[in-house]
Amino acid sequence: MFIAELDRPWVGTPFMFQGFTLRNERQLEELRRYCKQVYIDPEKEEIDVALPAVKPGASVARLEIRGSTEYRATDTIQAELLRADAIHTETAQVLEDAFRAARAGTPLDGRLLREAIGRITESVIRNPDALLLIQRMRAKGGQVFGRAIGVSIYMVVFGRFLQLPREALDSLGLLGLLQDIGKTRIPDELLAKKDKLSADELTVARSHVQHSVAILRKTEGLPGDLADLAALHHERWDGSGYPRGLQ
């Protein structure tokens, strides 16, 4: 069965993704520990990801993605909501100014961007559910920069779940906020096109990655590796991504 919703926030549970296919007794035991009831979606098909075959006897390196920094909610969601709402509004203004500068070819203010992400990270550390709730409400209102702020918030929340150190949370937040800033150099009519893009149009659209890298490298006050990380955000584990087709 596909578990679509819990009777409690996903944050604070051991489940890494919001929505997953229930596959074994161990997952069922965890659900029983954390929930009294769950909501299933009978229309969601189970998708199995085929992993590359490993030759017998080959050694497989274990990838550790989880850190050791423990975060505990220090405020209730009610207490954090007002602050989260103000932080979301302030971040939207900072991001709007950054996109306007990028479109005009003028330098971004790296200091203001880092301060904005610092406020997001602090709110997520205090109580991650507050900003997530604000983001959902704002996204339904069609806010212009809502998607970039939403990606930023989700990445910080996910980093908190992985128990990554504070500086890593800030880097994830900045990456989510700015990885698509190169789209300011792509024609608006191309970004708004609903029909399938031609091969030439697709090449232009995908060039936003290189534009993002160039803009971030010229921006003072940001982490030194941010541009290199932005260069990877459309790569895929199986080599089907772009621009370099990395595996």
Side-chain angles (χ1 to χ4, degrees):
M1 293 180 177
F2 186 85
I3 309 300
E5 291 290 343
L6 310 179
D7 60 358
R8 55 164 293 163
W10 289 88
V11 175
T13 72
F15 304 109
M16 295 172 66
F17 303 105
Q18 297 188 23
F20 67 95
T21 300
L22 181 64
R23 300 175 187 274
N24 53 55
E25 287 293 329
R26 181 171 161 276
Q27 291 174 317
L28 187 57
E29 289 174 9
E30 289 295 302
L31 280 174
R32 288 190 178 120
R33 282 182 58 206
Y34 286 89
C35 306
K36 292 184 178 179
Q37 65 179 12
V38 298
Y39 302 86
I40 66 169
D41 186 345
E43 296 182 356
K44 283 281 181 74
E45 295 182 2
E46 180 173 338
I47 300 175
D48 286 320
V49 179
L51 296 177
V54 179
K55 294 180 180 179
S59 62
V60 180
R62 183 175 178 181
L63 176 63
E64 294 289 350
I65 61 171
R66 197 157 185 146
S68 58
T69 305
E70 292 189 12
Y71 297 100
R72 299 184 185 279
T74 57
D75 283 324
T76 65
I77 188 171
Q78 291 87 351
E80 187 59 29
L81 270 177
L82 283 177
R83 281 179 295 202
D85 188 45
I87 288 168
H88 199 288
T89 300
E90 293 165 2
T91 305
Q93 185 59 58
V94 170
L95 186 60
E96 185 176 359
D97 293 342
F99 270 63
R100 187 181 297 113
R103 192 171 286 113
T106 55
L108 280 58
D109 193 325
R111 180 184 60 82
L112 287 181
L113 287 163
R114 292 191 79 152
E115 289 176 355
I117 288 302
R119 289 190 290 269
I120 284 179
T121 301
E122 287 165 5
S123 177
V124 167
I125 289 174
R126 287 191 297 264
N127 189 309
D129 291 328
L131 262 177
L132 287 173
L133 180 59
I134 294 295
Q135 170 59 25
R136 286 184 181 184
M137 292 189 297
R138 296 287 183 90
K140 287 187 176 180
Q143 189 182 19
V144 177
F145 303 104
R147 183 181 182 279
I149 298 174
V151 172
S152 179
I153 292 169
Y154 278 114
M155 289 179 74
V156 174
V157 170
F158 189 45
R160 182 189 191 274
F161 170 80
L162 293 177
Q163 298 181 318
L164 301 182
R166 166 61 194 267
E167 59 269 21
L169 302 189
D170 286 341
S171 292
L172 286 172
L174 281 167
L175 186 61
L177 201 67
L178 299 172
Q179 63 189 13
D180 278 334
I181 198 165
K183 287 184 177 179
T184 57
R185 305 286 173 84
I186 306 299
D188 291 339
E189 59 271 17
L190 187 59
L191 294 176
K193 185 175 180 180
K194 305 234 190 278
D195 298 329
K196 185 177 179 180
L197 299 181
S198 68
D200 289 342
E201 289 173 331
L202 190 60
T203 298
V204 173
R206 288 181 169 182
S207 71
H208 81 272
V209 175
Q210 290 94 321
H211 289 306
S212 291
V213 170
I215 291 170
L216 295 178
R217 280 191 176 144
K218 291 179 181 177
T219 302
E220 297 181 0
L222 296 179
D225 61 349
L226 194 65
D228 292 332
L229 293 174
L232 301 173
H233 80 276
H234 278 292
E235 301 290 353
R236 298 291 178 261
W237 70 273
D238 62 354
S240 64
Y242 64 89
R244 295 170 60 192
L246 299 176
Q247 292 193 18

